[in-house]
PDB file of all heavy atoms in Angstrom:
ATOM      1  N   ASP A   1       1.616 -32.778  21.207  1.00 81.00           N
ATOM      2  CA  ASP A   1       1.903 -32.027  22.422  1.00 81.00           C
ATOM      3  C   ASP A   1       2.999 -31.021  22.147  1.00 81.00           C
ATOM      4  O   ASP A   1       3.968 -31.298  21.449  1.00 81.00           O
ATOM      5  CB  ASP A   1       2.355 -32.964  23.540  1.00 81.00           C
ATOM      6  CG  ASP A   1       1.228 -33.827  24.055  1.00 81.00           C
ATOM      7  OD1 ASP A   1       0.059 -33.425  23.893  1.00 81.00           O
ATOM      8  OD2 ASP A   1       1.515 -34.896  24.608  1.00 81.00           O
ATOM      9  N   SER A   2       2.834 -29.833  22.694  1.00 83.00           N
ATOM     10  CA  SER A   2       3.884 -28.829  22.545  1.00 83.00           C
ATOM     11  C   SER A   2       4.311 -28.355  23.923  1.00 83.00           C
ATOM     12  O   SER A   2       3.501 -28.277  24.845  1.00 83.00           O
ATOM     13  CB  SER A   2       3.402 -27.649  21.709  1.00 83.00           C
ATOM     14  OG  SER A   2       2.295 -27.031  22.323  1.00 83.00           O
ATOM     15  N   VAL A   3       5.568 -28.056  24.028  1.00 88.00           N
ATOM     16  CA  VAL A   3       6.135 -27.621  25.297  1.00 88.00           C
ATOM     17  C   VAL A   3       6.750 -26.240  25.086  1.00 88.00           C
ATOM     18  O   VAL A   3       7.511 -26.027  24.150  1.00 88.00           O
ATOM     19  CB  VAL A   3       7.209 -28.616  25.786  1.00 88.00           C
ATOM     20  CG1 VAL A   3       7.847 -28.128  27.064  1.00 88.00           C
ATOM     21  CG2 VAL A   3       6.608 -29.984  25.977  1.00 88.00           C
ATOM     22  N   ILE A   4       6.381 -25.317  25.946  1.00 89.00           N
ATOM     23  CA  ILE A   4       6.982 -23.987  25.902  1.00 89.00           C
ATOM     24  C   ILE A   4       8.120 -23.987  26.909  1.00 89.00           C
ATOM     25  O   ILE A   4       7.894 -24.109  28.114  1.00 89.00           O
ATOM     26  CB  ILE A   4       5.954 -22.895  26.225  1.00 89.00           C
ATOM     27  CG1 ILE A   4       4.812 -22.936  25.212  1.00 89.00           C
ATOM     28  CG2 ILE A   4       6.607 -21.529  26.232  1.00 89.00           C
ATOM     29  CD1 ILE A   4       3.677 -22.001  25.512  1.00 89.00           C
ATOM     30  N   THR A   5       9.332 -23.840  26.411  1.00 93.00           N
ATOM     31  CA  THR A   5      10.498 -23.933  27.281  1.00 93.00           C
ATOM     32  C   THR A   5      10.707 -22.637  28.059  1.00 93.00           C
ATOM     33  O   THR A   5      10.198 -21.579  27.687  1.00 93.00           O
ATOM     34  CB  THR A   5      11.756 -24.230  26.452  1.00 93.00           C
ATOM     35  OG1 THR A   5      11.984 -23.143  25.549  1.00 93.00           O
ATOM     36  CG2 THR A   5      11.610 -25.520  25.675  1.00 93.00           C
ATOM     37  N   ALA A   6      11.491 -22.742  29.105  1.00 94.00           N
ATOM     38  CA  ALA A   6      11.821 -21.563  29.909  1.00 94.00           C
ATOM     39  C   ALA A   6      12.628 -20.570  29.089  1.00 94.00           C
ATOM     40  O   ALA A   6      12.466 -19.356  29.246  1.00 94.00           O
ATOM     41  CB  ALA A   6      12.595 -21.986  31.147  1.00 94.00           C
ATOM     42  N   LYS A   7      13.481 -21.068  28.205  1.00 95.00           N
ATOM     43  CA  LYS A   7      14.283 -20.192  27.353  1.00 95.00           C
ATOM     44  C   LYS A   7      13.383 -19.357  26.440  1.00 95.00           C
ATOM     45  O   LYS A   7      13.601 -18.155  26.268  1.00 95.00           O
ATOM     46  CB  LYS A   7      15.253 -21.044  26.519  1.00 95.00           C
ATOM     47  CG  LYS A   7      16.161 -20.257  25.630  1.00 95.00           C
ATOM     48  CD  LYS A   7      17.089 -21.180  24.843  1.00 95.00           C
ATOM     49  CE  LYS A   7      17.948 -20.394  23.890  1.00 95.00           C
ATOM     50  NZ  LYS A   7      18.813 -21.278  23.096  1.00 95.00           N
ATOM     51  N   PHE A   8      12.367 -19.982  25.875  1.00 94.00           N
ATOM     52  CA  PHE A   8      11.424 -19.283  25.002  1.00 94.00           C
ATOM     53  C   PHE A   8      10.662 -18.212  25.783  1.00 94.00           C
ATOM     54  O   PHE A   8      10.499 -17.077  25.316  1.00 94.00           O
ATOM     55  CB  PHE A   8      10.455 -20.286  24.373  1.00 94.00           C
ATOM     56  CG  PHE A   8       9.423 -19.655  23.494  1.00 94.00           C
ATOM     57  CD1 PHE A   8       9.730 -19.270  22.204  1.00 94.00           C
ATOM     58  CD2 PHE A   8       8.126 -19.449  23.962  1.00 94.00           C
ATOM     59  CE1 PHE A   8       8.773 -18.691  21.391  1.00 94.00           C
ATOM     60  CE2 PHE A   8       7.169 -18.869  23.158  1.00 94.00           C
ATOM     61  CZ  PHE A   8       7.487 -18.493  21.867  1.00 94.00           C
ATOM     62  N   LYS A   9      10.188 -18.569  26.977  1.00 95.00           N
ATOM     63  CA  LYS A   9       9.451 -17.611  27.810  1.00 95.00           C
ATOM     64  C   LYS A   9      10.327 -16.410  28.165  1.00 95.00           C
ATOM     65  O   LYS A   9       9.876 -15.263  28.130  1.00 95.00           O
ATOM     66  CB  LYS A   9       8.965 -18.279  29.092  1.00 95.00           C
ATOM     67  CG  LYS A   9       7.872 -19.287  28.893  1.00 95.00           C
ATOM     68  CD  LYS A   9       7.532 -19.920  30.239  1.00 95.00           C
ATOM     69  CE  LYS A   9       6.653 -21.116  30.089  1.00 95.00           C
ATOM     70  NZ  LYS A   9       6.391 -21.775  31.381  1.00 95.00           N
ATOM     71  N   LYS A  10      11.578 -16.683  28.530  1.00 97.00           N
ATOM     72  CA  LYS A  10      12.495 -15.612  28.913  1.00 97.00           C
ATOM     73  C   LYS A  10      12.768 -14.687  27.728  1.00 97.00           C
ATOM     74  O   LYS A  10      12.787 -13.456  27.886  1.00 97.00           O
ATOM     75  CB  LYS A  10      13.806 -16.206  29.434  1.00 97.00           C
ATOM     76  CG  LYS A  10      14.749 -15.191  30.002  1.00 97.00           C
ATOM     77  CD  LYS A  10      15.978 -15.858  30.598  1.00 97.00           C
ATOM     78  CE  LYS A  10      16.923 -14.821  31.168  1.00 97.00           C
ATOM     79  NZ  LYS A  10      18.112 -15.430  31.739  1.00 97.00           N
ATOM     80  N   ARG A  11      12.964 -15.261  26.531  1.00 96.00           N
ATOM     81  CA  ARG A  11      13.225 -14.447  25.347  1.00 96.00           C
ATOM     82  C   ARG A  11      12.024 -13.569  25.012  1.00 96.00           C
ATOM     83  O   ARG A  11      12.172 -12.378  24.735  1.00 96.00           O
ATOM     84  CB  ARG A  11      13.567 -15.343  24.156  1.00 96.00           C
ATOM     85  CG  ARG A  11      13.911 -14.548  22.904  1.00 96.00           C
ATOM     86  CD  ARG A  11      14.256 -15.431  21.736  1.00 96.00           C
ATOM     87  NE  ARG A  11      13.068 -16.172  21.336  1.00 96.00           N
ATOM     88  CZ  ARG A  11      13.066 -17.437  20.960  1.00 96.00           C
ATOM     89  NH1 ARG A  11      14.180 -18.131  20.929  1.00 96.00           N
ATOM     90  NH2 ARG A  11      11.943 -18.032  20.605  1.00 96.00           N
ATOM     91  N   GLU A  12      10.824 -14.125  25.074  1.00 96.00           N
ATOM     92  CA  GLU A  12       9.625 -13.355  24.758  1.00 96.00           C
ATOM     93  C   GLU A  12       9.381 -12.257  25.795  1.00 96.00           C
ATOM     94  O   GLU A  12       8.981 -11.148  25.448  1.00 96.00           O
ATOM     95  CB  GLU A  12       8.408 -14.267  24.653  1.00 96.00           C
ATOM     96  CG  GLU A  12       8.451 -15.193  23.470  1.00 96.00           C
ATOM     97  CD  GLU A  12       8.575 -14.474  22.142  1.00 96.00           C
ATOM     98  OE1 GLU A  12       7.848 -13.496  21.889  1.00 96.00           O
ATOM     99  OE2 GLU A  12       9.413 -14.905  21.329  1.00 96.00           O
ATOM    100  N   LEU A  13       9.626 -12.560  27.059  1.00 97.00           N
ATOM    101  CA  LEU A  13       9.472 -11.550  28.109  1.00 97.00           C
ATOM    102  C   LEU A  13      10.477 -10.421  27.911  1.00 97.00           C
ATOM    103  O   LEU A  13      10.133  -9.244  28.058  1.00 97.00           O
ATOM    104  CB  LEU A  13       9.649 -12.180  29.494  1.00 97.00           C
ATOM    105  CG  LEU A  13       9.502 -11.237  30.680  1.00 97.00           C
ATOM    106  CD1 LEU A  13       8.105 -10.643  30.725  1.00 97.00           C
ATOM    107  CD2 LEU A  13       9.809 -11.958  31.972  1.00 97.00           C
ATOM    108  N   THR A  14      11.702 -10.761  27.545  1.00 98.00           N
ATOM    109  CA  THR A  14      12.719  -9.746  27.285  1.00 98.00           C
ATOM    110  C   THR A  14      12.306  -8.855  26.118  1.00 98.00           C
ATOM    111  O   THR A  14      12.417  -7.622  26.198  1.00 98.00           O
ATOM    112  CB  THR A  14      14.077 -10.408  26.992  1.00 98.00           C
ATOM    113  OG1 THR A  14      14.440 -11.228  28.098  1.00 98.00           O
ATOM    114  CG2 THR A  14      15.154  -9.369  26.747  1.00 98.00           C
ATOM    115  N   ILE A  15      11.812  -9.458  25.061  1.00 97.00           N
ATOM    116  CA  ILE A  15      11.374  -8.680  23.899  1.00 97.00           C
ATOM    117  C   ILE A  15      10.207  -7.771  24.279  1.00 97.00           C
ATOM    118  O   ILE A  15      10.164  -6.604  23.894  1.00 97.00           O
ATOM    119  CB  ILE A  15      11.005  -9.620  22.734  1.00 97.00           C
ATOM    120  CG1 ILE A  15      12.255 -10.302  22.201  1.00 97.00           C
ATOM    121  CG2 ILE A  15      10.300  -8.856  21.619  1.00 97.00           C
ATOM    122  CD1 ILE A  15      11.987 -11.421  21.223  1.00 97.00           C
ATOM    123  N   ALA A  16       9.258  -8.284  25.048  1.00 97.00           N
ATOM    124  CA  ALA A  16       8.115  -7.481  25.476  1.00 97.00           C
ATOM    125  C   ALA A  16       8.556  -6.312  26.359  1.00 97.00           C
ATOM    126  O   ALA A  16       8.048  -5.189  26.218  1.00 97.00           O
ATOM    127  CB  ALA A  16       7.105  -8.352  26.219  1.00 97.00           C
ATOM    128  N   LEU A  17       9.505  -6.550  27.250  1.00 98.00           N
ATOM    129  CA  LEU A  17       9.998  -5.469  28.110  1.00 98.00           C
ATOM    130  C   LEU A  17      10.761  -4.416  27.314  1.00 98.00           C
ATOM    131  O   LEU A  17      10.653  -3.218  27.603  1.00 98.00           O
ATOM    132  CB  LEU A  17      10.873  -6.040  29.225  1.00 98.00           C
ATOM    133  CG  LEU A  17      10.121  -6.816  30.311  1.00 98.00           C
ATOM    134  CD1 LEU A  17      11.103  -7.433  31.294  1.00 98.00           C
ATOM    135  CD2 LEU A  17       9.128  -5.927  31.026  1.00 98.00           C
ATOM    136  N   VAL A  18      11.506  -4.849  26.307  1.00 98.00           N
ATOM    137  CA  VAL A  18      12.202  -3.887  25.444  1.00 98.00           C
ATOM    138  C   VAL A  18      11.187  -3.035  24.683  1.00 98.00           C
ATOM    139  O   VAL A  18      11.354  -1.824  24.554  1.00 98.00           O
ATOM    140  CB  VAL A  18      13.169  -4.614  24.482  1.00 98.00           C
ATOM    141  CG1 VAL A  18      13.653  -3.698  23.376  1.00 98.00           C
ATOM    142  CG2 VAL A  18      14.345  -5.183  25.254  1.00 98.00           C
ATOM    143  N   CYS A  19      10.114  -3.659  24.201  1.00 98.00           N
ATOM    144  CA  CYS A  19       9.062  -2.905  23.511  1.00 98.00           C
ATOM    145  C   CYS A  19       8.398  -1.903  24.452  1.00 98.00           C
ATOM    146  O   CYS A  19       8.127  -0.756  24.066  1.00 98.00           O
ATOM    147  CB  CYS A  19       8.026  -3.858  22.930  1.00 98.00           C
ATOM    148  SG  CYS A  19       8.623  -4.826  21.543  1.00 98.00           S
ATOM    149  N   PHE A  20       8.145  -2.318  25.694  1.00 98.00           N
ATOM    150  CA  PHE A  20       7.562  -1.398  26.664  1.00 98.00           C
ATOM    151  C   PHE A  20       8.525  -0.250  26.957  1.00 98.00           C
ATOM    152  O   PHE A  20       8.116   0.909  27.037  1.00 98.00           O
ATOM    153  CB  PHE A  20       7.206  -2.120  27.964  1.00 98.00           C
ATOM    154  CG  PHE A  20       6.610  -1.208  28.994  1.00 98.00           C
ATOM    155  CD1 PHE A  20       5.282  -0.843  28.913  1.00 98.00           C
ATOM    156  CD2 PHE A  20       7.373  -0.706  30.034  1.00 98.00           C
ATOM    157  CE1 PHE A  20       4.719   0.016  29.850  1.00 98.00           C
ATOM    158  CE2 PHE A  20       6.831   0.148  30.972  1.00 98.00           C
ATOM    159  CZ  PHE A  20       5.498   0.509  30.892  1.00 98.00           C
ATOM    160  N   GLY A  21       9.805  -0.567  27.115  1.00 98.00           N
ATOM    161  CA  GLY A  21      10.798   0.479  27.367  1.00 98.00           C
ATOM    162  C   GLY A  21      10.877   1.460  26.217  1.00 98.00           C
ATOM    163  O   GLY A  21      10.972   2.679  26.434  1.00 98.00           O
ATOM    164  N   LEU A  22      10.824   0.965  24.997  1.00 97.00           N
ATOM    165  CA  LEU A  22      10.849   1.833  23.825  1.00 97.00           C
ATOM    166  C   LEU A  22       9.625   2.744  23.791  1.00 97.00           C
ATOM    167  O   LEU A  22       9.750   3.946  23.538  1.00 97.00           O
ATOM    168  CB  LEU A  22      10.920   0.985  22.557  1.00 97.00           C
ATOM    169  CG  LEU A  22      10.970   1.719  21.230  1.00 97.00           C
ATOM    170  CD1 LEU A  22      12.237   2.572  21.142  1.00 97.00           C
ATOM    171  CD2 LEU A  22      10.915   0.733  20.079  1.00 97.00           C
ATOM    172  N   ALA A  23       8.458   2.187  24.076  1.00 97.00           N
ATOM    173  CA  ALA A  23       7.237   2.992  24.109  1.00 97.00           C
ATOM    174  C   ALA A  23       7.300   4.039  25.223  1.00 97.00           C
ATOM    175  O   ALA A  23       6.859   5.185  25.039  1.00 97.00           O
ATOM    176  CB  ALA A  23       6.017   2.094  24.288  1.00 97.00           C
ATOM    177  N   PHE A  24       7.859   3.679  26.355  1.00 97.00           N
ATOM    178  CA  PHE A  24       7.986   4.624  27.466  1.00 97.00           C
ATOM    179  C   PHE A  24       8.937   5.760  27.101  1.00 97.00           C
ATOM    180  O   PHE A  24       8.672   6.930  27.397  1.00 97.00           O
ATOM    181  CB  PHE A  24       8.484   3.893  28.724  1.00 97.00           C
ATOM    182  CG  PHE A  24       8.406   4.720  29.962  1.00 97.00           C
ATOM    183  CD1 PHE A  24       7.200   4.869  30.623  1.00 97.00           C
ATOM    184  CD2 PHE A  24       9.526   5.357  30.471  1.00 97.00           C
ATOM    185  CE1 PHE A  24       7.115   5.635  31.775  1.00 97.00           C
ATOM    186  CE2 PHE A  24       9.453   6.121  31.613  1.00 97.00           C
ATOM    187  CZ  PHE A  24       8.240   6.266  32.271  1.00 97.00           C
ATOM    188  N   ILE A  25      10.038   5.432  26.426  1.00 97.00           N
ATOM    189  CA  ILE A  25      10.992   6.456  25.991  1.00 97.00           C
ATOM    190  C   ILE A  25      10.339   7.391  24.986  1.00 97.00           C
ATOM    191  O   ILE A  25      10.548   8.614  25.037  1.00 97.00           O
ATOM    192  CB  ILE A  25      12.266   5.795  25.424  1.00 97.00           C
ATOM    193  CG1 ILE A  25      13.057   5.157  26.564  1.00 97.00           C
ATOM    194  CG2 ILE A  25      13.125   6.799  24.665  1.00 97.00           C
ATOM    195  CD1 ILE A  25      14.196   4.269  26.107  1.00 97.00           C
ATOM    196  N   VAL A  26       9.535   6.842  24.082  1.00 97.00           N
ATOM    197  CA  VAL A  26       8.818   7.685  23.122  1.00 97.00           C
ATOM    198  C   VAL A  26       7.880   8.627  23.868  1.00 97.00           C
ATOM    199  O   VAL A  26       7.783   9.819  23.533  1.00 97.00           O
ATOM    200  CB  VAL A  26       8.049   6.824  22.096  1.00 97.00           C
ATOM    201  CG1 VAL A  26       7.075   7.654  21.289  1.00 97.00           C
ATOM    202  CG2 VAL A  26       9.019   6.101  21.186  1.00 97.00           C
ATOM    203  N   ASN A  27       7.209   8.146  24.901  1.00 97.00           N
ATOM    204  CA  ASN A  27       6.315   8.977  25.697  1.00 97.00           C
ATOM    205  C   ASN A  27       7.088  10.111  26.379  1.00 97.00           C
ATOM    206  O   ASN A  27       6.650  11.266  26.365  1.00 97.00           O
ATOM    207  CB  ASN A  27       5.586   8.130  26.736  1.00 97.00           C
ATOM    208  CG  ASN A  27       4.527   8.909  27.474  1.00 97.00           C
ATOM    209  OD1 ASN A  27       3.907   9.808  26.936  1.00 97.00           O
ATOM    210  ND2 ASN A  27       4.308   8.542  28.726  1.00 97.00           N
ATOM    211  N   VAL A  28       8.229   9.796  26.958  1.00 96.00           N
ATOM    212  CA  VAL A  28       9.041  10.824  27.614  1.00 96.00           C
ATOM    213  C   VAL A  28       9.501  11.873  26.600  1.00 96.00           C
ATOM    214  O   VAL A  28       9.454  13.077  26.863  1.00 96.00           O
ATOM    215  CB  VAL A  28      10.244  10.188  28.342  1.00 96.00           C
ATOM    216  CG1 VAL A  28      11.216  11.245  28.819  1.00 96.00           C
ATOM    217  CG2 VAL A  28       9.767   9.341  29.511  1.00 96.00           C
ATOM    218  N   CYS A  29       9.920  11.419  25.425  1.00 96.00           N
ATOM    219  CA  CYS A  29      10.356  12.361  24.382  1.00 96.00           C
ATOM    220  C   CYS A  29       9.215  13.270  23.946  1.00 96.00           C
ATOM    221  O   CYS A  29       9.424  14.466  23.700  1.00 96.00           O
ATOM    222  CB  CYS A  29      10.911  11.603  23.183  1.00 96.00           C
ATOM    223  SG  CYS A  29      12.482  10.797  23.515  1.00 96.00           S
ATOM    224  N   CYS A  30       8.017  12.718  23.851  1.00 95.00           N
ATOM    225  CA  CYS A  30       6.862  13.542  23.478  1.00 95.00           C
ATOM    226  C   CYS A  30       6.527  14.561  24.566  1.00 95.00           C
ATOM    227  O   CYS A  30       6.166  15.703  24.263  1.00 95.00           O
ATOM    228  CB  CYS A  30       5.657  12.659  23.185  1.00 95.00           C
ATOM    229  SG  CYS A  30       5.805  11.741  21.657  1.00 95.00           S
ATOM    230  N   VAL A  31       6.639  14.165  25.823  1.00 95.00           N
ATOM    231  CA  VAL A  31       6.388  15.104  26.920  1.00 95.00           C
ATOM    232  C   VAL A  31       7.390  16.250  26.867  1.00 95.00           C
ATOM    233  O   VAL A  31       7.036  17.423  27.029  1.00 95.00           O
ATOM    234  CB  VAL A  31       6.449  14.370  28.281  1.00 95.00           C
ATOM    235  CG1 VAL A  31       6.538  15.356  29.440  1.00 95.00           C
ATOM    236  CG2 VAL A  31       5.241  13.467  28.445  1.00 95.00           C
ATOM    237  N   ILE A  32       8.643  15.926  26.585  1.00 95.00           N
ATOM    238  CA  ILE A  32       9.672  16.963  26.485  1.00 95.00           C
ATOM    239  C   ILE A  32       9.432  17.841  25.256  1.00 95.00           C
ATOM    240  O   ILE A  32       9.500  19.076  25.333  1.00 95.00           O
ATOM    241  CB  ILE A  32      11.075  16.324  26.446  1.00 95.00           C
ATOM    242  CG1 ILE A  32      11.386  15.675  27.796  1.00 95.00           C
ATOM    243  CG2 ILE A  32      12.136  17.357  26.091  1.00 95.00           C
ATOM    244  CD1 ILE A  32      12.626  14.809  27.801  1.00 95.00           C
ATOM    245  N   ALA A  33       9.144  17.219  24.117  1.00 96.00           N
ATOM    246  CA  ALA A  33       8.995  17.962  22.868  1.00 96.00           C
ATOM    247  C   ALA A  33       7.810  18.918  22.899  1.00 96.00           C
ATOM    248  O   ALA A  33       7.885  20.022  22.351  1.00 96.00           O
ATOM    249  CB  ALA A  33       8.847  16.992  21.696  1.00 96.00           C
ATOM    250  N   TYR A  34       6.715  18.503  23.528  1.00 95.00           N
ATOM    251  CA  TYR A  34       5.512  19.333  23.543  1.00 95.00           C
ATOM    252  C   TYR A  34       5.363  20.132  24.834  1.00 95.00           C
ATOM    253  O   TYR A  34       4.321  20.747  25.059  1.00 95.00           O
ATOM    254  CB  TYR A  34       4.275  18.463  23.301  1.00 95.00           C
ATOM    255  CG  TYR A  34       4.241  17.902  21.907  1.00 95.00           C
ATOM    256  CD1 TYR A  34       4.479  16.560  21.678  1.00 95.00           C
ATOM    257  CD2 TYR A  34       3.980  18.719  20.814  1.00 95.00           C
ATOM    258  CE1 TYR A  34       4.456  16.036  20.395  1.00 95.00           C
ATOM    259  CE2 TYR A  34       3.950  18.213  19.529  1.00 95.00           C
ATOM    260  CZ  TYR A  34       4.196  16.865  19.322  1.00 95.00           C
ATOM    261  OH  TYR A  34       4.176  16.353  18.056  1.00 95.00           O
ATOM    262  N   SER A  35       6.381  20.122  25.676  1.00 95.00           N
ATOM    263  CA  SER A  35       6.395  20.878  26.937  1.00 95.00           C
ATOM    264  C   SER A  35       5.161  20.598  27.793  1.00 95.00           C
ATOM    265  O   SER A  35       4.534  21.517  28.333  1.00 95.00           O
ATOM    266  CB  SER A  35       6.508  22.375  26.654  1.00 95.00           C
ATOM    267  OG  SER A  35       7.679  22.654  25.934  1.00 95.00           O
ATOM    268  N   CYS A  36       4.810  19.349  27.910  1.00 93.00           N
ATOM    269  CA  CYS A  36       3.669  18.946  28.733  1.00 93.00           C
ATOM    270  C   CYS A  36       4.131  18.774  30.177  1.00 93.00           C
ATOM    271  O   CYS A  36       5.321  18.617  30.449  1.00 93.00           O
ATOM    272  CB  CYS A  36       3.095  17.628  28.236  1.00 93.00           C
ATOM    273  SG  CYS A  36       2.397  17.717  26.588  1.00 93.00           S
ATOM    274  N   PRO A  37       3.185  18.796  31.112  1.00 96.00           N
ATOM    275  CA  PRO A  37       3.559  18.522  32.498  1.00 96.00           C
ATOM    276  C   PRO A  37       4.066  17.083  32.652  1.00 96.00           C
ATOM    277  O   PRO A  37       3.617  16.172  31.952  1.00 96.00           O
ATOM    278  CB  PRO A  37       2.265  18.709  33.282  1.00 96.00           C
ATOM    279  CG  PRO A  37       1.205  19.044  32.310  1.00 96.00           C
ATOM    280  CD  PRO A  37       1.783  19.115  30.954  1.00 96.00           C
TER     281      PRO A  37
END
């Protein structure tokens, strides 16, 4: 039996949100760099 702790879930969610934020920032930088709407 394996148990996924709340601490593990919180850490993985934080990492996933940081990855999403990084990807979103890259998207914003590309919009600025290429003068897109």
Side-chain angles (χ1 to χ4, degrees):
D1 290 337
S2 60
V3 177
I4 300 174
T5 63
K7 182 180 177 182
F8 178 79
K9 290 177 191 177
K10 187 176 180 180
R11 183 180 66 220
E12 292 302 313
L13 180 62
T14 302
I15 292 170
L17 288 175
V18 167
C19 290
F20 180 79
L22 181 63
F24 191 80
I25 289 170
V26 168
N27 187 32
V28 170
C29 290
C30 289
V31 166
I32 292 170
Y34 292 108
S35 301
C36 295

